[in-house]
Amino acid sequence: MISALRLDVPTSSATEFVDITARLQDAISTAGLRDGQLHLQSLHTTLGLTVNENEPLLLGDLQAMLERVAPRAHAYEHDDLTRRTGVGPGEPRNGHAHCRHLFLLPACTLLVEAGRLVLGQWQSVFAVELDGPRKRQLALQMDGDFDANAGGVAHDRPDRELVELELARQLLVDPEPVREPMQRLVEAGGKRLRPLLTMLSSRLGTQDDPLRAAALAAAIELLHHATLVHDDYVDQAATRRGRPTVAAHEGAARAVAVGDYYFAKATRIIAQLGNPDVSSTIADAVETICLSQMDDVRLRGMYPGDYAAYLRVVRGKTAALFAAACKAGAQLGAASTGVVERLQRFGDLLGIAFQMTDDLLDYSVSSGKPLGQDIRQRTVSLPLIYATEDVRYGARVRELLAGPLEDRDIQEVQELVGATGALERVGEEARGVVAAALRELEEIALDGVGPQLADLANSTVDRVR
Amino acid sequence: MARTLSVSELVDEVGANLAGLESVWDGSMSDAYAFFRHQARPEVALAATLVESAVALQDLGRTAPDPPRLLLGDLCLARASRLLADTHDTELQVAFAEAVERIAAQAAGGPAARDLRELLVAAILGRR
């Protein structure tokens, strides 16, 4: 069996390394490829491919090397448009970009085992823009053994498409200075867990209206992304899902404005639904998120923290919006109070499991997330908390975390965390939390959305191997 | 309102809705609240005050604030949003949100907007 698709890769700089690892992994999961190959091909002569380490300073070195090899200011025959034939208006002068492309791959094949890309610890897959910014496309083909129920959560496809359409529709009307960075973030991928939970929850009442549910779902996703834009500035993060953050690319002042704009826009879309309960649910959640974000920053002074503090922050920063996505969806669909309450608890538990799994991605070679990022940013994380409690290695982990955290220290912390068994413990705990979440649904008449909710719930912990 | 409220009276009036934001309640916030209180009931006046405070804390359209000020500004916006949601007045919520959208879009380099206070007063009076 062969599965073929196109991957859109909009770029935002003249030269840019776009980490597409996570998006490739998403494509593999969606297609249900278990064991086989992913073939990847650039459809452009000035967009190359490479596999390398996603380390910002190194990416700067690579850009500098490309500039030395084929300087932009150099004279290129290709740029002498008076001597070329068939040149249309707007023909770019990009001889340097074509020359640089010689050093990159036009296509590559990556191995897939047990549903995951086979990549070494420091390997990430990059699309390399050489003459941007542009809208680019990669061709993907997968062959090998696929799951019998290939598509994974494919039965949520109409919901997913509705959400994507609504997101695109909402972004279309926004002023370009706010739209462009948000579009880059939204298009970088993601599982759309929160909006899909909203869509499914909205069907558990007496007023199932997919278009209104999609409006709410898209607003919740925009709200989530607005918080990410501000979070990335607070965390001084350079990339998110392989793309530059708004703060890194457009500057901190614009990031603040973009976050505020989409916060306001999301609350407006929700208000326009005219359901006071939904508005109150989302407003309460946003307030909780903000208070927890402040709590989180305060806790960094007490890094790595303890379990109670971790749970408090995770409930506020992550689980609050999962819970609100479920609760508000059910409220919009006019579900009974009992169903609304159970879905809220379901969402809360899923959010906790999601964050626990997210913590594990910091140690996963094929997650697409730069390894050790949480340690580097001193983010409160459950594997670290458990590792510091370990009799054999806890003292050394604490000692390292109290220090300046150079690259070798981060690597040692990662190895020690692995040696303590903390990763297995967190993984098991996350699966237990998902099981508890699913038990919340046992008493509800799920009107046919049970399998989708279960798929979404399990997908929160299936992101890491 | 016939007279200007004192700071202590103002704080009493807004009460628990300032939880977590005590540090940002200063003279300018008192003045802003007194101004909006002439136009609206306490929770709406406080929401407008919080929106103004958020924009000031985040120095919107100028230099980026340090992270604590950004987060305090976020909390001001969130609290304002919750206060407005509690009114169950859809038009009011939409008008406030549009005011923030316009100011934020302008700050990002988008179209010019009217003065924030003007926008908020228009929102309160239903004259967007």
Side-chain angles (χ1 to χ4, degrees):
Chain A
M1 174 177 170
I2 290 182
S3 171
L5 64 145
R6 298 286 182 270
L7 192 71
D8 291 322
V9 184
T11 62
S12 51
S13 302
T15 308
E16 183 180 350
F17 285 73
V18 182
D19 188 336
I20 54 173
T21 318
R23 297 187 66 199
L24 296 179
Q25 184 58 60
D26 280 349
I28 290 165
S29 302
T30 303
L33 178 63
R34 297 301 302 166
D35 297 291
Q37 298 88 37
L38 169 69
H39 308 288
L40 183 61
Q41 182 179 318
S42 167
L43 297 177
H44 311 274
T45 53
T46 54
L47 181 87
L49 299 166
T50 193
V51 177
N52 216 311
E53 182 177 348
N54 189 350
E55 192 281 307
L57 297 177
L58 172 65
L59 298 182
D61 290 336
L62 297 177
Q63 282 200 29
M65 187 213 69
L66 289 170
E67 176 62 28
R68 284 195 301 276
V69 166
R72 175 184 281 270
H74 190 79
Y76 296 89
E77 301 284 317
H78 178 69
D79 293 347
D80 184 355
L81 303 187
T82 61
R83 291 163 54 204
R84 283 174 56 191
T85 54
V87 174
E91 174 70 17
R93 288 173 171 77
N94 58 3
H96 65 287
H98 289 282
C99 292
R100 292 176 188 185
H101 192 262
L102 272 179
F103 296 86
L104 295 160
L105 301 168
C108 69
T109 295
L110 299 163
L111 302 180
V112 176
E113 291 175 3
R116 311 295 298 179
L117 274 174
V118 179
L119 289 170
Q121 183 177 7
W122 304 108
Q123 287 183 307
S124 293
V125 187
F126 292 92
V128 186
E129 175 60 80
L130 300 168
D131 187 32
R134 294 199 199 198
K135 291 187 188 310
R136 303 295 203 172
Q137 215 174 40
L138 301 175
L140 267 56
Q141 283 195 1
M142 289 171 253
D143 64 61
D145 297 330
F146 288 78
D147 279 340
N149 59 341
V153 289
H155 45 230
D156 69 15
R157 192 155 285 164
D159 281 341
R160 189 180 291 269
E161 284 168 6
L162 260 184
V163 170
E164 296 298 341
L165 281 172
E166 183 61 20
L167 278 170
R169 193 177 74 88
Q170 290 296 345
L171 288 169
L172 197 64
V173 297
D174 293 332
E176 185 267 339
V178 291
R179 182 188 66 236
E180 194 178 286
M182 182 53 81
Q183 205 156 17
R184 186 175 71 239
L185 192 54
V186 167
E187 288 176 355
K191 288 183 173 292
R192 308 275 191 251
L193 287 172
R194 298 160 192 81
L196 290 174
L197 286 169
T198 300
M199 295 297 291
L200 293 171
S201 301
S202 74
R203 287 197 216 135
L204 296 176
T206 55
Q207 295 174 16
D208 178 14
D209 183 337
L211 292 181
R212 278 167 60 79
L216 173 61
I220 287 172
E221 189 70 351
L222 288 176
L223 200 51
H224 169 56
H225 281 86
T227 66
L228 295 181
V229 171
H230 282 191
D231 278 358
D232 286 339
Y233 166 57
V234 171
D235 294 341
Q236 297 180 307
T239 60
R240 176 173 287 280
R241 294 190 74 85
R243 299 193 184 189
T245 60
V246 182
H249 194 262
E250 278 86 7
R254 189 147 148 213
V256 173
V258 169
D260 284 354
Y261 179 89
Y262 282 100
F263 162 76
K265 173 159 184 155
T267 57
R268 174 170 59 78
I269 295 169
I270 291 164
Q272 284 169 330
L273 290 169
N275 185 317
D277 291 339
V278 169
S279 291
S280 292
T281 293
I282 301 300
D284 287 346
V286 173
E287 200 174 345
T288 302
I289 291 166
C290 290
L291 285 165
S292 294
Q293 176 73 312
M294 294 165 81
D295 200 18
D296 183 32
V297 170
R298 267 195 301 272
L299 277 173
R300 290 184 193 183
M302 294 172 272
Y303 184 72
D306 58 29
Y307 187 83
Y310 171 82
L311 205 56
R312 190 176 70 240
V313 169
V314 167
R315 276 216 142 97
K317 271 188 73 176
T318 307
L321 196 55
F322 273 83
C326 294
K327 182 181 179 182
Q331 286 171 322
L332 190 69
S336 69
T337 306
V339 169
V340 169
E341 285 172 357
R342 283 200 178 269
L343 278 167
Q344 183 180 14
R345 288 199 291 274
F346 170 74
D348 173 57
L349 291 166
L350 276 197
I352 293 169
F354 177 89
Q355 188 56 54
M356 286 176 171
T357 308
D358 213 55
D359 292 351
L360 295 177
L361 298 183
D362 214 34
Y363 304 83
S364 166
V365 293
S366 58
S367 69
K369 180 178 169 183
L371 282 174
Q373 184 171 266
D374 288 349
I375 301 170
R376 201 181 301 274
Q377 293 177 343
R378 297 178 190 275
T379 304
V380 176
S381 134
L382 195 53
L384 280 180
I385 291 170
Y386 284 159
T388 58
E389 293 169 355
D390 185 78
V391 180
R392 290 164 301 166
Y393 305 117
R396 177 61 183 155
V397 174
R398 281 194 297 275
E399 183 188 351
L400 286 164
L401 294 180
L405 286 174
E406 304 291 340
D407 283 350
R408 64 176 181 281
D409 303 321
I410 290 169
Q411 195 171 348
E412 187 180 346
V413 170
Q414 286 182 307
E415 287 163 5
L416 289 171
V417 170
T420 62
L423 300 178
E424 291 77 11
R425 186 177 168 191
V426 173
E428 198 171 317
E429 194 167 334
R431 286 188 289 278
V433 175
V434 167
L438 290 171
R439 282 196 294 278
E440 288 292 341
L441 303 182
E442 285 173 1
E443 304 299 317
I444 304 176
L446 289 170
D447 292 340
V449 301
Q452 290 103 311
L453 282 171
D455 271 352
L456 279 182
N458 288 318
S459 74
T460 62
V461 290
D462 283 347
R463 296 178 295 149
V464 66
R465 290 190 198 278
Chain B
M1 281 180 26
R3 68 179 180 84
T4 304
L5 293 170
S6 69
V7 171
S8 61
E9 285 172 316
L10 290 167
V11 173
D12 285 348
E13 189 167 274
V14 296
N17 283 316
L18 276 180
L21 290 170
E22 297 84 353
S23 65
V24 296
W25 184 271
D26 60 11
S28 64
M29 257 186 106
S30 302
D31 291 345
Y33 182 69
F35 171 80
F36 287 117
R37 189 66 183 86
H38 281 286
Q39 330 272 343
R41 54 190 190 273
E43 62 273 24
V44 177
L46 181 58
T49 305
L50 288 170
V51 170
E52 276 200 354
S53 301
V55 169
L57 278 165
Q58 298 184 340
D59 216 6
L60 211 54
R62 289 185 281 272
T63 52
D66 57 29
R69 284 173 70 86
L70 171 70
L71 297 178
L72 268 177
D74 283 349
L75 182 56
C76 286
L77 286 176
R79 185 69 50 81
S81 173
R82 206 251 299 145
L83 286 164
L84 294 168
D86 289 348
T87 67
H88 294 188
D89 182 337
T90 300
E91 284 301 308
L92 189 66
Q93 291 170 61
V94 169
F96 264 68
E98 283 179 348
V100 176
E101 281 175 63
R102 286 178 186 157
I103 293 297
Q106 174 185 254
R114 285 152 66 197
D115 175 67
L116 175 60
R117 183 164 288 192
E118 249 182 79
L119 290 168
L120 292 173
V121 169
I124 290 169
L125 301 178
R127 292 199 303 254
R128 274 182 284 154

